[in-house]
Amino acid sequence: MAQQRRVQLSTQRPTSTVCVLGTELSLDVCGSAPKGAVTFHVQGTPGVKLYVVHETQSIKLPSLVGRWPLDTGAEVLLAMDTLSKDVGDEKVRISYFGESGGVPIGRAMLYLTCVEVSLDADTSRSGTVSRTLLDKATWSWGPEGHGAILLVNCDRDDPKAWALQSSTPDNRDAAVRSYADLKDMSQLVLHTRGPRTIFTGHRLVLHTDYSSAGRVGVFYSGNSTALKDYKHVLGGLQLSYTIKPSRHQEESIFYVEGLSFPDVDFSGLVTFHVTLLESPEKDLLETPIFTDTVVFRVAPWIMTPNTLAPLEVFVCSVENNKDFVAAVRAVADEAKCPLTVCPLLENRGDRWIQDEMEFGYIQAPHKTFPVVFDSPRDGGLVDFPVKRILGPDFGYVARQSPAGVSSLDSFGNLEVSPPVSVQGKEYPLGRILIGSSFPRSGGRRLAKAVKDFLVAQQVQAPVELFSDWLFVGHIDEFLTFVPAPDRKAFRLLLASPSACYQLLKEKQEEGFGEAAMFEGLQKVSKVTINEILANEELRKFNTYAQSCINWNRDILKRSLGLSEQDIIDLPQLFQGKADKGAEAFFPDMVNMLVLGRHLGIPKPFGPVVGGQCCLEERVRALLEPLGLTCTFIDDFFSYHLLLGEVHCGTNVRRKPFAFKWWHMVP
């Protein structure tokens, strides 16, 4: 339905007004009728389309009916579809007649000027702003959806930032510091056509409401392309901006940046309006005669699963991990993936780079760039994400935990599945997995601020798992995903004490009971298969560990739509006490680095049978048929004894999904 405006007429003097292209004017024929009038006649110039609404019927004029009864419900509607060349160049005349008919007893004259005022954005999601018949004031999901998209401008494009050692992303200032900065923003284009004197005599205002103003920044340079002329005109405390359209230019281009991601207190939707105001007479208040509205949605932060192609591997160099870094470099080279080493000076002895940050990305039709999510953990690597990763086309976001942090706030406790379908519901970007104390009461949980943030992104509906049974408490200690050529294109790998006991029992029955673990490791007690199988306390604890993993197995099957054929159990044992939490008995093989088909797996130092580690042999037998290459990395002294493994000590930036997030329905 077209936007409609009521216009008061007068038989005492002519009325002038503006008709905006695409809108209707409703003429108050009854209110302006002189005393004694019982019928009226309407006539307009060729550029005006007229309709009389009478007894609920809308009749286009001219019609066979010349005069219309002046009933209470009588209404005249008009529209114009051609822009005026001059002010008041189209006219409508209302003639009023008394009981006797004959000569009119009064006339009301309306002078009309048709102009175009249109606020436009990339509502069709094509990557460019174009005129459209889509409803700009609504936003919808799905392949047939529409609505404009806004990026949080959370990278740092200021060319002087590196020299100034600035750690401020672009969304935390109110300035445009480079042309690259503008490319991160979405365009909002105001089209104004028609006689230019109309726009001199009327006021055009771009405005937003309080709820949106704190979430956006809008920049405008007038007709200039000079960087210095881009001024912050809207957002923050600035709720409105008066536009003065150029006499020579029909487009005014505004650049819009997002300041904050969707969160518990922000749906992600922001609204802009442009309103045309007129002042009937001097010293009177202006009244709005037309408003156009555009709604944007701020793009969510999206995590990338192991099954996406790797772009860059990160690892820390610390005092005792030279061989580990070399081994990770070798796997990265095989995967043709560059390696970035964070030096000791920057990591300050903190080797757990997986725990400090998580890589993801944001995407709009016109731009995509990676964004690092900085955990509230804040160890020795606290400055690394903001000082070394934040930069041009590399964004940064963080959430803090005012109530304090626990081990579960580290991002080894944050993973995401590959795309899945669950009982007909599609998750084309996968589902985020977070560890919690559930099903226990109390215990450690992921920080509320982090969980609220992840839920608010909507596109990767989080699943809560039980990880507080572990001493460290991270879900990457018992699960990971690897690519596969069949079924769902991936396999879920789960640590399995049951599978480990079954393997060791097989080797014992084959006569290898005296084969020992940890051979070749100096100052490490060796333990034979027979001793492991005879250790009732260890078996009892692993029965408990298996029950915890089984609880998660059932959640994962339900939440990700998996069957047993989608899951591979990797042999693994745990040790500890139920009240203090479980640790890996030997290097935790599920805690691996996944780079395409190349896997960097913690070397388990299992019993050697027939010249081969039986644990490595079993893992190869399980994974190599999927086309995966297994490289076992010695992390025993440099990571395992410190309660972490290969995955904990590495991090990977990956390619974004080919799927566009706005095509899904959350």
Side-chain angles (χ1 to χ4, degrees):
M1 182 178 177
Q3 191 175 148
Q4 195 177 92
R5 177 168 61 94
R6 186 83 160 164
V7 176
Q8 305 297 129
L9 302 175
S10 172
T11 56
Q12 305 302 311
R13 59 184 182 276
T15 303
S16 296
T17 195
V18 169
C19 181
V20 178
L21 205 64
T23 67
E24 290 181 345
L25 299 183
S26 169
L27 307 185
D28 182 12
V29 291
C30 295
S32 60
K35 186 177 180 180
V38 293
T39 61
F40 67 93
H41 172 72
V42 186
Q43 188 175 13
T45 50
V48 183
K49 293 182 178 180
L50 287 164
Y51 303 84
V52 170
V53 180
H54 188 262
E55 294 180 351
T56 72
Q57 288 188 326
S58 179
I59 300 167
K60 186 175 182 180
L61 301 184
S63 75
L64 296 177
V65 181
R67 297 182 187 179
W68 300 88
L70 200 61
D71 298 337
T72 305
E75 186 179 16
V76 174
L77 301 179
L78 70 83
M80 301 175 73
D81 56 15
T82 303
L83 294 171
S84 293
K85 294 180 180 177
D86 297 303
V87 174
D89 61 358
E90 300 287 352
K91 305 171 187 66
V92 172
R93 185 175 66 189
I94 311 287
S95 300
Y96 294 98
F97 299 89
E99 289 283 358
S100 61
V103 178
I105 61 173
R107 288 192 174 94
M109 183 68 71
L110 176 65
Y111 289 88
L112 292 160
T113 308
C114 184
V115 301
E116 180 184 28
V117 177
S118 180
L119 193 61
D120 295 292
D122 181 16
T123 52
S124 63
R125 303 168 184 168
S126 64
T128 57
V129 178
S130 58
R131 311 303 293 280
T132 177
L133 297 176
L134 294 171
D135 181 3
K136 299 176 290 187
T138 62
W139 202 99
S140 60
W141 297 86
E144 305 303 320
H146 68 274
I149 293 167
L150 197 58
L151 294 177
V152 176
N153 192 15
C154 58
D155 67 342
R156 186 179 59 203
D157 289 312
D158 185 356
K160 299 177 182 177
W162 186 259
L164 298 173
Q165 294 187 321
S166 169
S167 57
T168 303
D170 293 337
N171 60 325
R172 294 186 190 170
D173 60 30
V176 177
R177 304 194 183 280
S178 71
Y179 290 106
D181 196 13
L182 287 175
K183 292 180 180 179
D184 296 335
M185 303 184 196
S186 296
Q187 288 189 356
L188 186 62
V189 180
L190 174 64
H191 293 95
T192 51
R193 294 192 298 160
R196 305 318 280 177
T197 51
I198 283 291
F199 297 110
T200 303
H202 291 68
R203 196 158 70 96
L204 264 174
V205 178
L206 182 69
H207 56 106
T208 188
D209 52 32
Y210 281 106
S211 61
S212 294
R215 310 295 183 179
V216 294
V218 180
F219 298 90
Y220 182 55
S221 67
N223 297 324
S224 173
T225 58
L227 200 61
K228 64 180 178 60
D229 292 328
Y230 284 91
K231 307 299 182 187
H232 182 264
V233 297
L234 205 63
L237 299 177
Q238 189 73 27
L239 296 178
S240 64
Y241 174 72
T242 298
I243 306 155
K244 297 176 181 176
S246 165
R247 287 182 173 274
H248 312 292
Q249 204 166 341
E250 296 177 342
E251 283 188 354
S252 299
I253 302 176
F254 297 84
Y255 288 85
V256 188
E257 65 174 357
L259 301 184
S260 54
F261 283 93
D263 214 321
V264 66
D265 59 346
F266 175 42
S267 70
L269 294 175
V270 293
T271 305
F272 294 98
H273 314 275
V274 66
T275 295
L276 184 64
L277 297 161
E278 72 173 1
S279 181
E281 295 181 22
K282 190 176 181 182
D283 298 328
L284 290 180
L285 289 175
E286 297 169 311
T287 56
I289 60 174
F290 172 76
T291 295
D292 203 13
T293 299
V294 171
V295 171
F296 284 85
R297 179 176 287 278
V298 175
W301 180 79
I302 301 171
M303 275 185 72
T304 50
N306 284 352
T307 48
L308 290 175
L311 294 175
E312 185 177 9
V313 182
F314 293 81
V315 68
C316 289
S317 173
V318 291
E319 288 181 359
N320 67 337
N321 77 337
K322 182 178 179 181
D323 291 342
F324 177 85
V325 172
V328 169
R329 185 183 299 278
V331 176
D333 287 345
E334 286 294 319
K336 296 181 170 54
C337 187
L339 178 71
T340 295
V341 179
C342 173
L344 184 61
L345 186 64
E346 293 178 18
N347 64 54
R348 293 178 287 189
D350 184 356
R351 68 194 70 208
W352 310 114
I353 198 165
Q354 179 67 227
D355 290 337
E356 183 61 39
M357 60 191 185
E358 188 67 58
F359 288 108
Y361 68 94
I362 57 175
Q363 184 173 50
H366 72 282
K367 184 77 179 279
T368 301
F369 62 78
V371 175
V372 62
F373 186 10
D374 191 358
S375 80
R377 162 186 182 267
D378 291 349
L381 282 159
V382 57
D383 294 329
F384 183 72
V386 72
K387 288 192 174 179
R388 297 292 293 177
I389 294 179
L390 170 65
D393 284 345
F394 211 130
Y396 173 87
V397 64
R399 287 295 179 270
Q400 300 303 318
S401 178
V405 298
S406 75
S407 175
L408 270 65
D409 295 317
S410 297
F411 283 173
N413 196 35
L414 174 62
E415 299 296 328
V416 65
S417 80
V420 292
S421 177
V422 185
Q423 296 181 338
K425 172 70 176 175
E426 298 293 329
Y427 297 93
L429 304 173
R431 300 192 70 175
I432 284 173
L433 308 175
I434 56 177
S436 176
S437 61
F438 184 80
R440 289 177 175 170
S441 60
R444 299 169 295 176
R445 292 179 181 271
L446 186 70
K448 183 179 184 299
V450 174
K451 183 180 176 182
D452 287 344
F453 172 82
L454 296 171
V455 170
Q457 307 313 303
Q458 295 193 61
V459 295
Q460 294 179 303
V463 176
E464 213 165 344
L465 299 175
F466 174 36
S467 67
D468 197 32
W469 62 277
L470 292 153
F471 179 79
V472 174
H474 297 174
I475 59 174
D476 68 352
E477 297 176 73
F478 64 85
L479 71 80
T480 195
F481 297 90
V482 294
D486 57 356
R487 297 189 61 80
K488 294 180 172 62
F490 70 87
R491 294 288 191 277
L492 167 63
L493 307 186
L494 290 177
S496 174
S498 295
C500 192
Y501 272 107
Q502 183 180 358
L503 172 61
L504 295 179
K505 185 65 175 173
E506 287 175 12
K507 298 308 173 187
Q508 185 188 55
E509 291 174 352
E510 292 169 8
F512 299 104
E514 290 303 311
M517 295 204 68
F518 309 130
E519 292 287 358
L521 292 173
Q522 295 183 359
K523 298 181 181 179
V524 177
S525 298
K526 312 304 183 284
V527 56
T528 66
I529 291 175
N530 288 337
E531 290 170 333
I532 291 172
L533 295 177
N535 187 333
E536 285 303 318
E537 187 176 344
L538 184 65
R539 183 183 291 272
K540 183 179 178 181
F541 187 81
N542 276 281
T543 300
Y544 160 74
Q546 185 66 64
S547 71
C548 295
I549 294 170
N550 287 346
W551 176 277
N552 289 302
R553 185 190 202 95
D554 294 338
I555 295 174
L556 289 162
K557 287 171 71 173
R558 289 194 306 270
S559 302
L560 303 183
L562 305 181
S563 68
E564 284 298 320
Q565 289 74 25
D566 300 313
I567 302 173
I568 294 176
D569 292 305
L570 294 192
Q572 185 63 48
L573 293 181
F574 294 90
Q575 61 186 353
K577 295 185 182 299
D579 61 339
K580 297 197 174 180
E583 306 168 7
F585 181 69
F586 54 82
D588 189 351
M589 292 185 289
V590 81
N591 192 275
M592 63 178 68
L593 173 65
V594 181
L595 302 178
R597 64 183 184 87
H598 299 276
L599 309 179
I601 305 172
K603 185 175 180 60
F605 291 96
V608 176
V609 175
Q612 290 189 344
C613 168
C614 65
L615 291 170
E616 290 186 19
E617 185 179 33
R618 179 57 55 90
V619 169
R620 290 186 194 276
L622 291 169
L623 300 183
E624 287 181 350
L626 299 175
L628 301 170
T629 301
C630 301
T631 300
F632 290 90
I633 296 175
D634 179 1
D635 72 349
F636 196 91
F637 294 106
S638 53
Y639 290 85
H640 170 69
L641 291 184
L642 301 174
L643 305 182
E645 310 288 358
V646 174
H647 184 258
C648 305
T650 57
N651 215 317
V652 184
R653 178 171 65 89
R654 300 180 185 277
K655 281 187 178 180
F657 284 99
F659 182 87
K660 308 301 182 189
W661 63 266
W662 51 87
H663 287 164
M664 73 175 291
V665 179

